[in-house]
């Protein structure tokens, strides 16, 4: 057996990504290797940002509404939340502008909840507000888009095909899975994480919990009229299925939340059987430095895939490393387009810096320690993220290379708010002025830097 090298070339053209990147990541993704529906990288993100005029954002709850579709670029730091806010203040006016900025603030709110709660966001943050009895597995017919309900099957098809869903489709699908099928929100969270190009722990897990009522005062539910209205009737017109969403909210809530088991018994999930067979054994080839020794190196991770990342900006001459996390990806189903989207982000970084940028496949902590040694570096710079993996990886780096000084830079934030967070409404009241005016309010506590 030939051991795959852990080094990834960072000048692969898009046409080669399914073949070459697909081979390098064998066993680490689900489904077929194919390009993402939208290209990744800062260049593509900026093009999408500048192309978005915002006209018609007031109709954002309709599937035909002109939402920005910038979430995948924001999620990976390919464009910054402040530059998106600045663009919105420039192109939008009045209530449309305020509404967009308020939506943008939801993302900041969820990240602050993640910072506060850590890995607890993956468990029920509160008791469900009804006698819920949930099963764990995603039903096969849902995963295969064969529920027989044209709307539900379309949401799943869009999710897998585009790696993106309109917010209303996400809400409807989540409500269907949790309340009508009686499936735990964590199974839906994992399905979204597998396919969404913008999938992140904070907005994803906490939105699912919001629908489930474990992070909100009541479960979110929709009815057929709501789906028909906001989808322009596209699925309802010719639908011959017995619609489970038909009825008034009172009737549906009485039926769904009375403590009875869901009507349809879910079938068992498929687990992870769609994943390509892993390589027998992977021996990481040593890192080959492509420049002189350096006192500092930078760790680039999935939240900061842009040359504007604070750690990269602080160290323009330092070699940088991005690692596809082999142990994490071996245990967590992620579809290939998401990995290709991230690769495109790293490729843009490599093209935009004078210092060398490397990409590897391996165990992140060990790779970072080895990378610092190869370049003779005494400092590792990184931009903080609030995921549990971040803390775990830095602990691993310290264990593998105790002499290495780790310098953590703060990520870009939309607000300067630094207190505890609980519900969005309360948070919004505190940051509204700052977000809408684009400057910190005089009474807002200052955020510490380091
Ligand atoms: C069950 C469920 C799971 C979700 N999972 C994710 C996820 O993994 N990643 C993610 O970025 N968003 C998630 N969302 C939130 C929201 O659906 C998307 O951010 C939004 O649909 C992205 O489309 P857009 O960029 O066109 O949004 P726009 O309306 O154009 O909004 C601009 C930006 O504001 C932020 N934003 C808008 N609405 C929300 C919201 N409700 N919550 C958080 N941020 C918001 C996003 O960064 C978005 O790109 C989820 C929502 C639900 C109901």
């Amino acid at each position: 057996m030939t051991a795959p090298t852990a080094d990834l070339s960072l000048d692969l053209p898009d046409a080669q990504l399914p073949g070459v990147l697909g081979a390098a990541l064998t066993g680490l993704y689900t489904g077929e290797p194919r390009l993402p529906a939208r290209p990744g990288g800062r260049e593509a993100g900026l093009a999408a940002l500048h192309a978005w005029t915002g006209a018609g954002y007031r109709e954002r709850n309709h599937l035909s509404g002109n939402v920005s579709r910038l979430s995948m670029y924001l999620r990976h730091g390919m464009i910054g939340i402040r530059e998106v806010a600045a663009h919105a203040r420039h192109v939008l006016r009045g209530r449309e502008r305020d509404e967009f900025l308020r939506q943008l603030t939801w993302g900041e709110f969820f990240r602050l909840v993640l910072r506060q709660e850590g890995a607890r966001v993956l468990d029920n943050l509160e008791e469900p507000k009804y006698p819920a009895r949930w099963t764990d597995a995603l039903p096969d017919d849902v995963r295969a888009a064969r529920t027989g309900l044209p709307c539900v099957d379309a949401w799943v098809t869009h999710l897998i095909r585009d790696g993106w869903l309109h917010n209303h489709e996400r809400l409807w699908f989540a409500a269907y899975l949790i309340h009508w099928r009686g499936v735990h929100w964590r199974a839906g969270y994992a399905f979204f994480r597998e396919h969404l190009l913008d999938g992140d722990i904070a907005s994803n897990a906490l939105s699912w919990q919001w629908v489930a009522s474990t992070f909100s005062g009541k479960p979110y539910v929709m009815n057929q009229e709501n789906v028909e209205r906001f989808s322009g009737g596209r699925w309802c017109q010719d639908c011959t299925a017995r619609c489970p969403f038909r009825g008034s909210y009172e009737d549906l809530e009485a039926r769904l939340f009375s403590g009875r088991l869901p009507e349809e018994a879910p079938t068992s999930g498929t687990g992870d059987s769609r994943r390509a067979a892993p390589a027998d054994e992977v021996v990481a080839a040593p890192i080959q430095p492509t420049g002189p020794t350096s006192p500092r190196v930078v760790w680039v991770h999935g939240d900061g895939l842009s040359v504007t990342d604070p750690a990269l900006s602080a160290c323009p001459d330092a070699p940088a490393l991005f690692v596809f996390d082999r142990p994490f990806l071996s245990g967590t189903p992620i579809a290939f387009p998401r990995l290709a989207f991230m690769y495109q982000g790293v490729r843009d970084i490599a093209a935009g810096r004078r210092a060398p940028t490397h990409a590897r496949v391996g165990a992140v902590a060990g790779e970072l320690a080895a990378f610092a040694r190869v370049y003779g570096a005494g400092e590792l710079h990184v931009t903080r993220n609030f995921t549990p993996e971040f803390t775990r990886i830095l602990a691993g780096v310290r264990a593998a290379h105790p002499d290495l000084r780790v310098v953590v830079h703060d990520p870009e934030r939309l607000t300067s708010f630094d207190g505890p967070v609980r519900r969005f409404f309360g948070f919004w009241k505190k940051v509204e002025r700052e977000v809408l005016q684009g400057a910190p309010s005089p009474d807002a506590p200052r955020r510490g830097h380091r």
Side-chain angles (χ1 to χ4, degrees):
M1 187 211 96
T2 45
T5 168
D7 259 319
L8 289 173
S9 155
L10 279 176
D11 52 12
L12 294 174
D14 282 350
Q16 287 183 19
L17 294 190
V20 180
L21 186 65
L25 297 175
T26 300
L28 302 182
Y29 57 83
T30 60
E32 292 301 311
R34 61 183 165 90
L35 289 175
R38 301 189 93 188
R42 177 154 176 81
E43 215 179 291
L46 283 178
L49 176 66
H50 294 132
W52 186 67
T53 63
Y57 189 73
R58 77 180 70 82
E59 299 291 318
R60 66 171 200 91
N61 284 328
H62 293 261
L63 301 195
S64 57
N66 184 17
V67 292
S68 71
R69 295 188 179 223
L70 293 171
S71 49
M72 61 285 272
Y73 300 109
L74 277 161
R75 184 265 172 263
H76 288 295
M78 292 166 182
I79 53 176
I81 195 162
R82 283 182 170 265
E83 64 191 335
V84 172
H87 178 77
R89 286 189 200 101
H90 183 62
V91 297
L92 296 172
R93 294 281 170 274
R95 285 176 58 186
E96 211 163 43
R97 186 197 75 135
D98 293 358
E99 185 52 30
F100 180 83
L101 291 169
R102 203 173 76 93
Q103 291 305 317
L104 201 57
T105 307
W106 269 100
E108 170 117 333
F109 169 70
F110 284 143
R111 277 187 295 279
L112 290 178
V113 177
L114 175 64
R115 181 178 78 167
Q116 180 177 294
E117 303 294 335
R120 280 189 298 274
V121 301
L122 296 176
D123 290 319
N124 289 352
L125 283 174
E126 298 161 19
E127 285 302 312
K129 309 301 179 304
Y130 68 103
R133 279 179 282 174
W134 295 322
T135 54
D136 286 336
L138 187 71
D140 288 343
D141 63 318
V142 174
R143 184 184 284 286
R146 292 222 182 95
T147 63
L149 299 172
C151 53
V152 175
D153 294 346
W155 304 330
V156 173
T157 304
H158 295 169
L159 171 70
I160 294 173
R161 186 192 63 198
D162 303 339
W164 183 85
L165 283 181
H166 186 281
N167 186 55
H168 235 144
E169 292 179 296
R170 298 183 200 215
L171 285 166
W172 294 330
F173 177 76
Y176 168 72
L177 193 69
I178 301 169
H179 306 317
W180 272 270
R181 300 298 297 265
V183 177
H184 197 289
W185 61 264
R186 250 194 316 261
Y189 158 79
F191 189 43
F192 271 20
R193 180 186 57 196
E194 180 175 354
H195 293 288
L196 283 176
L197 296 176
D198 64 33
D200 73 349
I201 198 174
S203 293
N204 191 9
L206 292 164
S207 297
W208 277 91
Q209 296 224 43
W210 188 85
V211 172
S213 78
T214 54
F215 185 52
S216 60
K218 62 185 283 226
Y220 167 84
V221 69
M222 76 293 186
N223 66 6
Q224 185 267 338
E225 219 180 299
N226 180 276
V227 175
E228 180 164 20
R229 173 166 173 227
F230 289 103
S231 67
R234 64 182 77 174
W235 302 296
C236 303
Q237 267 160 14
D238 304 318
C239 183
T240 54
R242 205 174 127 236
C243 181
F245 311 128
R246 190 152 297 187
S248 68
Y249 281 100
E250 293 70 32
D251 289 348
L252 289 173
E253 282 171 0
R255 213 163 77 214
L256 294 170
F257 306 130
S258 62
R260 293 207 308 263
L261 278 174
E263 287 168 10
E264 304 157 84
T267 52
S268 65
T270 53
D272 195 12
S273 56
R274 296 139 299 107
R275 189 186 283 272
D280 298 347
E281 189 188 336
V282 176
V283 182
I287 295 163
Q288 299 297 324
T290 54
T293 59
S294 166
R296 310 184 290 184
V297 289
V298 180
W299 170 26
V300 176
H301 54 64
D303 282 20
L305 296 181
S306 161
V307 284
T308 55
D309 169 73
L312 282 174
S313 302
C315 310
D317 296 316
L321 176 65
F322 173 85
V323 185
F324 281 104
D325 190 340
R326 183 179 291 282
F328 176 79
L329 292 172
S330 300
T332 309
I334 303 285
F336 183 81
R338 172 78 174 279
L339 302 182
F341 189 83
M342 293 169 74
Y343 173 90
Q344 290 167 323
V346 187
R347 189 179 61 188
D348 270 14
I349 292 176
R353 302 181 79 227
R354 53 178 182 259
T357 302
H358 298 249
R360 309 253 306 164
V361 187
V364 184
E367 291 287 348
L368 288 169
F371 188 68
R373 284 204 170 92
V374 159
Y375 275 103
E379 280 183 5
L380 172 73
H381 286 248
V382 62
T383 303
R384 186 189 306 283
N385 73 41
F386 303 125
T387 64
E389 286 85 32
F390 182 79
T391 316
R392 177 181 55 76
I393 288 167
L394 280 193
V397 171
R398 289 190 175 105
H401 194 334
D403 299 332
L404 188 65
R405 184 167 170 258
V406 177
V407 181
V408 180
H409 297 257
D410 277 333
E412 186 182 63
R413 290 260 316 266
L414 185 61
T415 73
S416 54
F417 181 78
D418 217 9
V421 278
R422 191 173 137 63
R423 291 283 194 252
F424 180 77
F425 185 73
F427 174 64
W428 177 243
K429 284 287 129 213
K430 295 196 174 91
V431 300
E432 182 175 10
R433 192 147 63 113
E434 178 181 359
V435 172
L436 297 184
Q437 292 174 359
S441 58
D443 50 355
R446 290 300 308 157
R447 187 161 52 95
H449 281 278
R450 192 201 122 72

